[in-house]
Amino acid sequence: MGGKVTCTLGEVKNRADFIVYWGGNPAECHPRHFTKYTIMQKSRFLPRGRKDRTMVLVDIRETKSVKAADIFLQVRPGKDFELITVLRAMIKDQPVDDSAIAEIGLQRSDLEDLVARMKRAKFGVMFFGMGLSMTRGKHMNSAALLTLAAEMNAFTKFVAMPMRGHGNVTGADVVMRWQTGYPFGVSYHRGYPRYNPGEFSTVDVLVRGDTDCVFVLGADPGATMPQPAIEHLKRVPTIVLDPHVTHTSRLANVHITTAPAGIAAAGTAYRMDEIALPLRPAIDSPYPSDFEVVRRIHEAIRQKPDWRVRSPWIERQLDAAH
Amino acid sequence: MTNTPKSPELRVIDHATCTFCGCVCDDIKLHTDGNRVHKAERACVLGKAWFLNHTAERAYPDAIVDGREASLDEAIEVAAELLYQADMPLIYGLSNTTCEAQRECVALADAISGIVDSHTSL
Ligand code: SF4
């Protein structure tokens, strides 16, 4: 779980009586989250379902999710980190300046009420979306919120969970953690995995022009990345695997059509709480799966002479094995 | 749930999994004839659109190499050569795909001494 203070959605469904959505709009982006996992579910511990649960929404503007919430806190854009820090102080009864609260755009009474409710809860959960993790402060915001969740455990059970977006991004984190020890932004240039977001994260690598060949799978950077990154994609050989001819395919040297995962290709995907689920395809696609194509490319490369740099220790291990 | 070749026969797939959003609902009931999904019970609007918009139709060529249609075998050869020749290859994406493919991508990054990165870094 990467050190997060978290739980599964099954636990949320059965036990969470206090649910916070922070910087996300589940009503439109995760339509079944309310009904399947959180506020609408009745359980053994919360037999009255919605009535036994409190939902708080924290966001910079009113979204469709406001209707579902009991409490809506409108925070000034870019002030999430400040709000989390104030809450961390308030739960520990530390003094907080009026100016600090005014800066966030909220009332002291709202925050006192929130803190009291958080402490009264039997099981609290905070879901945080891209409104928190992709705005000013980025991963520092997520880290602060996870710390708040950890600190709340001095008073009651509290957890936090990221609201992951499209497809199987959670699976990418899990698989990379399993294979390399790190969740993303991993380099094998020295023959062993190294992790350094900012150095090995895609946008930075592309904007600096640090790569001379890009292999894209299950994403469309040509449509979503900043222009300087796209310019570099155009300059270097690019290979795309996708069920559709995408923006990236149009500027790529090689496009290979693959079967859409979960609809025509079987396999495994991870839910946002890191539970693995089997995919049950319904369509007989004329195209091969991503797995099959990557495996064949890997196989074709293995046929070529190996040029990788190895440490003397690894050389000795390989010699001993042969 | 065997992968029978294309037949107009309608089958029902219970407990199918939707991967459109992070909820990854695994209680979807799909009515399919193998060519397209006719009904996606219990899926939300986004999930329904996701399932109903894909068909088994051959809408695109197997592969495109430098702007012209190519066979899968040729495209794999060209892709392998490009990645093999590169000094600093980058493997990116890994969100709309299976864990099996993701694992294979990490192995590929290892084999070509490249970078592997996902959507998470954005
Ligand atoms: S059915 Fe809707 S809520 Fe469930 S995974 Fe698909 S898109 Fe998300």
Side-chain angles (χ1 to χ4, degrees), chain A residues 9 28-33 36-37 133-134 138 164-169 171-173 175-176 178-180 183-191 199-203 205-206 210-221 224-225 237-239 243-245 252-257 260-273 277-288 290-298 300-302 304-309, chain B residues 1-7 11 13-28 30-37 41-47 49-68 70-122:
Chain A
L9 289 170
E28 282 176 290
C29 303
H30 297 86
R32 295 184 72 205
H33 209 260
K36 206 160 175 272
Y37 303 118
S133 57
M134 298 272 240
K138 290 203 166 180
R164 301 311 297 276
H166 270 262
N168 193 17
V169 263
D173 288 16
V175 168
M176 277 210 254
W178 159 48
Q179 290 285 296
T180 74
F184 62 91
V186 172
S187 160
Y188 274 101
H189 290 136
R190 290 197 188 153
E199 186 179 8
F200 306 135
S201 34
T202 301
V203 179
V205 169
L206 288 175
D210 267 0
T211 173
D212 59 349
C213 181
V214 186
F215 182 86
V216 179
L217 163 98
D220 191 6
T224 53
M225 292 241 163
T238 304
I239 300 140
H244 305 279
V245 172
N253 295 67
V254 180
H255 162 91
I256 298 175
T257 312
I263 295 181
T268 315
Y270 273 78
R271 202 164 69 186
M272 61 166 79
D273 56 345
L277 293 164
L279 303 176
R280 300 189 210 284
I283 285 175
D284 311 304
S285 172
Y287 304 111
D290 291 328
F291 167 72
E292 181 64 23
V293 176
V294 182
R295 196 190 56 75
R296 285 189 58 191
I297 293 175
H298 188 185
I301 290 173
R302 267 221 291 260
K304 304 175 195 271
D306 195 348
W307 51 262
R308 281 175 298 173
V309 190
Chain B
M1 243 153 296
T2 44
N3 240 356
T4 40
K6 272 184 218 148
S7 64
R11 40 189 171 121
I13 297 178
D14 228 339
H15 305 297
T17 309
C18 173
T19 57
F20 187 77
C21 82
C23 287
V24 189
C25 300
D26 59 343
D27 59 350
I28 315 288
L30 296 177
H31 297 245
T32 170
D33 61 8
N35 288 314
R36 72 184 181 89
V37 174
E41 283 179 54
R42 286 192 283 270
C44 70
V45 270
L46 301 178
W50 166 247
F51 279 114
L52 269 52
N53 278 349
H54 286 89
T55 63
E57 193 194 353
R58 207 175 256 278
Y60 303 105
D62 284 345
I64 304 170
V65 174
D66 293 321
R68 59 175 175 79
S71 70
L72 178 64
D73 293 340
E74 187 196 348
I76 285 175
E77 255 328 299
V78 176
E81 188 59 23
L82 288 173
L83 288 167
Y84 179 72
Q85 291 299 339
D87 292 327
M88 274 265 209
L90 162 69
I91 298 176
Y92 169 74
L94 320 192
S95 53
N96 283 329
T97 192
T98 59
C99 293
E100 288 73 5
Q102 289 162 346
R103 184 190 62 201
E104 206 54 35
C105 282
V106 178
L108 179 63
D110 190 0
I112 57 179
S113 291
I115 295 173
V116 55
D117 185 35
S118 80
H119 233 94
T120 308
S121 78
L122 267 187

Side-chain angles (χ1 to χ4, degrees), chain A residues 41-60:
Chain A
Q41 283 284 344
K42 288 193 173 108
S43 75
R44 193 173 146 197
F45 304 107
L46 303 158
R48 293 183 305 148
R50 183 68 186 90
K51 289 200 197 77
D52 283 332
R53 307 191 199 237
T54 308
M55 175 185 152
V56 179
L57 183 75
V58 184
D59 209 341
I60 55 163

